[in-house]
Amino acid sequence: MHENMNEKCAVVGIYNHEAASKLAYFSLHALQHRGQEAAGISSADGNKLHTIKKRGLVMRVFDEAKLQTLSGTSAIGHTRYSTAGDDSILDAQPVFARYDLGEMAIVHNGNLTNAQEVRDALIKKGAIFQTFMDTENLIHLIAKSSKEKLIERIIDAVQRIEGAFSLVILSRTKMFAVRDRHGFRPLSLGQLPNGGYIVASETCAFDLVGATFIRDVEPGELLIFEEGKEPQSIKIFEPTPKHCIFEYVYFARPDSSVFGQSVYQARKTMGQELAKIAPVEADLVVPVPDGGVPSAIGYAQESGIPYEMGIMRNHYIGRTFIEPTQEMRDLKVKMKLSPMIDIIKGKRVIVVDDSIVRGTTSRRIVRMLKEAGASEVHMRISSPPTTDPCFYGVDTPSKDKLIAANMSTQEICDFVEADSLAYLDEEALLRSVNSDMHEEKYCTACFTGKYIV
Ligand code: AMP
């Protein structure tokens, strides 16, 4: 369970602002949906780095007094989301280290595919590891690099790692942002109202702190932030974009723009495409909140069937996926979603969700709607069947637990006890996410098993 501990996360970096750690804190709030397990911020005051990180939501980890101690004009932050089990605070980020050039802190979103080899090689040479995070490999690679300057060491280190990484690195005076050659995970650059800079996993963080979007950090690019200079760009790798299509399907927030396109618009188009591919006669279109909302709107608009909020979501319960055991997951779905009986009773309902992973959520929802009196429940999924696990930073269970890897659509329909079930197909998904970009620009491995690295 321990090889992949840097799953879907959020990173942020603030450079040249007197309230850097506060802006990082606000940004992490906007990025909370990318990870609820732990949060952390490191700041740099020119002489020293200061770090606070803890398990829990951003709001619980920080308060005014704590943010006061994170002094300095630059800061990096992280929210962490991982699969099961490890309770260790050591696995929270930023990862901080003292080394021969001074101090540094790193935040990382993504998963390295050669983490174990790199780690084994480092351990053979005497390195000691404290956590299971891929990110610790990077700290060692940078610290042990024979190059003289930090920037050269960062380049040296990232050339030894493979897989998905959007990184922000903080030294006492500089900040660095790096994206892997495929640009698996998003990372955008923006300008703060005072002229300082922000890099963040999603642009919804920019909106919160009043920053203006400049551009995405390019796949394979290193950006260097230095006092009194414009950000410098170095191309470390030849870019070969393979953006994660699941960011559009589920992961990113609808008010963000990722990989050059609005997430909301992409999701709504997926719903419209779904209505064209898989129409069905019914009285209502109901989203599974919150993930299914934009695509249900698209489905309703395309089909002309009324959209209704037939399911209420309790917003004070975290994401159901987090819980490690099946039993807990079942319970959490019940706590989280409740039917609007007056709306649903006696109606033929089309229920729209973004994906089916294990099938547990869908079955609960169908049962819930039927118990509430729905006469028919037609399940529509705004992505193709999830058949393969992700090795690039999205938390999916192993193949044996992915229902679509083991059952046909009809079998899944029977399992979730729906009257009908239909998915979006790969072509329609690609059509939805940017007309001028084609299949090669995206990683679709979770739907196709076509892995790149
Ligand atoms: P399941 O019960 O395993 O089929 O879960 C499906 C639900 O989980 C859907 O409502 C999705 O919105 C949501 N989901 C899909 N992928 C993920 C993920 N990687 N992390 C958390 N939730 C997810």
Side-chain angles (χ1 to χ4, degrees):
M1 230 30 249
H2 281 145
E3 310 86 71
N4 300 314
M5 295 306 282
N6 302 306
E7 337 258 33
K8 312 173 306 179
C9 302
V11 297
V12 63
I14 304 285
Y15 196 79
N16 192 15
H17 195 287
E18 60 284 2
S21 61
K22 269 195 188 149
L23 293 194
Y25 166 79
F26 286 123
S27 303
L28 291 183
H29 268 292
L31 300 168
Q32 183 80 80
H33 62 288
R34 296 183 74 87
Q36 298 92 46
E37 194 157 313
I41 295 175
S42 291
S43 71
D45 65 12
N47 297 310
K48 211 176 161 340
L49 296 195
H50 309 271
T51 299
I52 292 176
K53 56 179 177 176
K54 224 173 124 180
R55 285 177 62 75
L57 298 174
V58 177
M59 203 165 64
R60 297 254 227 117
V61 173
F62 299 100
D63 57 31
E64 182 73 39
K66 283 189 180 133
L67 287 172
Q68 291 281 347
T69 68
L70 295 171
S71 56
T73 56
S74 56
I76 61 173
H78 188 265
T79 62
R80 172 163 177 268
Y81 186 147
S82 90
T83 30
D86 213 304
D87 249 7
S88 171
I89 171 65
L90 287 172
D91 282 335
Q93 296 200 19
V95 180
F96 166 80
R98 275 190 200 96
Y99 69 123
D100 62 334
L101 300 183
E103 298 184 343
M104 68 175 145
I106 301 187
V107 289
H108 175 196
N109 174 207
N111 262 119
L112 305 184
T113 47
N114 67 340
Q116 202 56 48
E117 290 121 86
V118 170
R119 181 165 289 220
D120 290 346
L122 285 163
I123 288 173
K124 251 197 187 140
K125 288 196 197 135
I128 296 165
F129 283 88
Q130 299 195 47
T131 76
F132 294 107
M133 290 186 291
D134 300 2
T135 317
E136 213 184 346
N137 292 1
L138 264 170
I139 289 272
H140 279 283
L141 289 171
I142 294 171
K144 281 171 177 282
S145 165
S146 55
K147 301 280 195 282
E148 205 183 312
K149 291 162 87 183
L150 176 56
I151 176 165
E152 297 163 346
R153 291 191 183 194
I154 291 172
I155 295 170
D156 192 24
V158 299
Q159 281 171 339
R160 289 165 200 259
I161 58 174
E162 278 160 27
F165 50 89
S166 283
L167 301 165
V168 191
I169 303 171
L170 189 66
S171 74
R172 287 173 297 186
T173 56
K174 297 191 184 99
M175 188 172 87
F176 307 85
V178 195
R179 217 166 152 215
D180 65 73
R181 72 187 77 205
H182 301 298
F184 282 115
R185 311 256 64 90
L187 190 65
S188 300
L189 170 68
Q191 184 132 46
L192 296 166
N194 75 333
Y197 291 95
I198 176 170
V199 287
S201 295
E202 285 183 41
T203 57
C204 59
F206 296 179
D207 301 335
L208 187 62
V209 301
T212 327
F213 173 79
I214 300 176
R215 64 177 176 87
D216 282 346
V217 178
E218 294 294 325
E221 183 182 28
L222 165 66
L223 277 180
I224 304 142
F225 298 86
E226 208 172 332
E227 183 68 43
K229 289 188 185 167
E230 297 277 294
Q232 281 167 263
S233 162
I234 294 179
K235 193 201 249 181
I236 306 185
F237 306 105
E238 200 51 50
T240 48
K242 282 287 176 191
H243 305 307
C244 168
I245 207 150
F246 206 68
E247 290 279 350
Y248 288 126
V249 169
Y250 169 79
F251 205 41
R253 227 170 76 162
D255 57 335
S256 286
S257 161
V258 304
F259 316 136
Q261 133 126 358
S262 149
V263 174
Y264 177 77
Q265 202 49 53
R267 262 178 219 166
K268 206 171 125 185
T269 312
M270 289 174 208
Q272 288 165 335
E273 291 282 349
L274 189 57
K276 287 182 208 158
I277 292 173
V280 57
E281 236 180 80
D283 305 308
L284 304 174
V285 177
V286 166
V288 176
D290 293 327
V293 172
S295 44
I297 292 173
Y299 194 104
Q301 287 181 358
E302 181 65 32
S303 64
I305 299 169
Y307 172 93
E308 288 286 357
M309 209 168 110
I311 300 173
M312 267 310 293
R313 173 170 169 191
N314 182 335
H315 279 269
Y316 306 97
I317 311 283
R319 281 188 171 180
T320 55
F321 220 70
I322 294 177
E323 296 305 332
T325 66
Q326 194 64 34
E327 227 177 21
M328 280 299 285
R329 261 193 297 274
D330 284 353
L331 190 67
K332 277 196 112 182
V333 175
K334 266 193 188 162
M335 287 165 71
K336 197 164 114 174
L337 302 172
S338 1
M340 305 268 272
I341 296 173
D342 292 346
I343 288 175
I344 285 162
K345 204 169 175 186
K347 299 285 176 16
R348 297 167 299 170
V349 176
I350 299 171
V351 62
V352 183
D353 202 357
D354 56 82
S355 57
I356 298 181
V357 183
R358 294 177 177 84
T360 328
T361 311
S362 305
R363 179 156 70 174
R364 285 255 158 248
I365 287 164
V366 175
R367 279 188 186 166
M368 184 180 85
L369 293 171
K370 294 230 160 144
E371 277 164 22
S375 60
E376 290 171 23
V377 177
H378 301 278
M379 188 107 212
R380 292 294 178 270
I381 302 297
S382 59
S383 65
T386 306
T387 50
D388 293 84
C390 177
F391 301 115
Y392 316 123
V394 173
D395 168 27
T396 38
S398 56
K399 200 158 169 132
D400 57 308
K401 299 210 175 59
L402 290 171
I403 194 165
N406 302 289
M407 287 188 196
S408 68
T409 299
Q410 187 52 52
E411 285 168 337
I412 299 170
C413 182
D414 296 342
F415 176 84
V416 304
E417 299 166 7
D419 294 284
S420 77
L421 166 69
Y423 288 92
L424 197 64
D425 60 40
E426 195 197 342
E427 239 172 63
L429 175 63
L430 287 167
R431 265 203 308 279
S432 310
V433 297
N434 219 348
S435 45
D436 63 338
M437 284 177 117
H438 33 82
E439 186 191 0
E440 291 91 76
K441 296 275 173 78
Y442 291 103
C443 174
T444 56
C446 52
F447 304 126
T448 58
K450 290 184 217 154
Y451 295 101
I452 304 109
V453 177

